[in-house]
Amino acid sequence: MKVHNVDQYLVYGNPIQQSKSPFIHQHFAEQTHQALQYRSQLAEDDDFKLQVRSFIAAGGKGCNVTAPFKGQAFELAQSVSEEARIAGAVNTLIFNDGHIAGDNTDGRGLIADLKFHQVSMTNKRILLVGAGGAARGVLLPLLAEQPQKLIIVNRTVEKAEQLAKLIDTPVKTCGVGFADLADKPFDLIINASSASLSNDLPPLKSSLLSADTICYDMVYRASNTPFNQWAMDNGVKTTIDGLGMLVEQAAVSFEIWRGVKPETVELRKILRAQL
Ligand code: ATR
């Protein structure tokens, strides 16, 4: 067995070559003067859990998990955070004296990015588009900001309804279909659907927008995402994409493992320039 003299971390995924996590975590490590090594690791459906166990046996301290293994990581964890439980997905594993703890930092990453952009969610009317893994992952931290109302809208209505029923919150929350939305602008619309990935737009009416609506697409790319472009074409002043969320969810993982909160301003610029 190989013994390392610096703490080891990995990100598992398939595909994994495109992952920016090693770059992000090495940047955080240098910035905070932490001695650690962070690499990416390709896994397969039938060897992911095995790989994690051998990484633990080799002294690994923790790992990130990306598609398609977040569900398997949830199963592997012996204890999980409340966010991970609602999401049914784990993106951060923490190995401590043989115990495997699971967390999901996506939601805290989203909130940190919204706050970075000075977006307040308290008492606001929020529309969350999508009811898949990405939406589930951000639900609890969003509700913790105490919006006035949180509506989950999804193409498959039942999934939105089920998700709304899953949570116990004093915030007015409901799950609906696109046709059920009234013609009234929201303060914040978060696109957690995967529509932008296939260059598609969720079927949203422009009556849901005002110039002051903030539109956030969890997908990012060099050019505007279709959702953010649609918002801009309809007069929205502020659109944000998911690059900052990527950085912030990594910062939360880093802080969980290392107990130090990294700065994200510089890294945001570097990653944007690389797109
Ligand atoms: P992820 O992990 O990215 O959330 P997912 O769990 O497969 O992926 O969920 C994808 C989400 O995007 C779902 O809410 C899906 O809607 P359905 O549940 O009705 O399938 C939504 N979605 C994908 N393409 C879409 C499109 N073109 N318009 C609207 N919603 C879309």
Side-chain angles (χ1 to χ4, degrees), residues 130-135 154-156 159 178 192-195 200-203:
N154 198 44
R155 204 169 48 179
T156 314
K159 273 168 71 181
F178 287 96
S193 82
S194 54
D200 252 342
L201 261 181

Side-chain angles (χ1 to χ4, degrees), residues 57-86:
K61 297 287 180 196
C63 66
N64 282 131
V65 181
T66 188
F69 302 121
K70 290 184 184 184
Q72 284 203 48
F74 178 80
E75 292 166 8
L76 193 62
Q78 293 158 326
S79 64
V80 293
S81 67
E82 197 54 13
E83 283 102 320
R85 190 180 66 78
I86 293 293

Side-chain angles (χ1 to χ4, degrees), residues 130-192:
R136 289 172 66 133
V138 300
L139 202 51
L140 276 196
L142 266 178
L143 289 167
E145 294 299 311
Q146 297 183 299
Q148 183 196 110
K149 198 173 194 178
L150 180 85
I151 297 184
I152 304 164
V153 63
N154 198 44
R155 204 169 48 179
T156 314
V157 186
E158 302 76 51
K159 273 168 71 181
E161 289 170 345
Q162 277 165 16
L163 192 50
K165 276 192 204 134
L166 205 70
I167 39 177
D168 178 19
T169 167
V171 177
K172 262 203 237 165
T173 310
C174 64
V176 300
F178 287 96
D180 304 321
L181 293 169
D183 293 317
K184 187 179 169 193
F186 282 88
D187 297 309
L188 171 63
I189 305 182
I190 299 169
N191 184 19

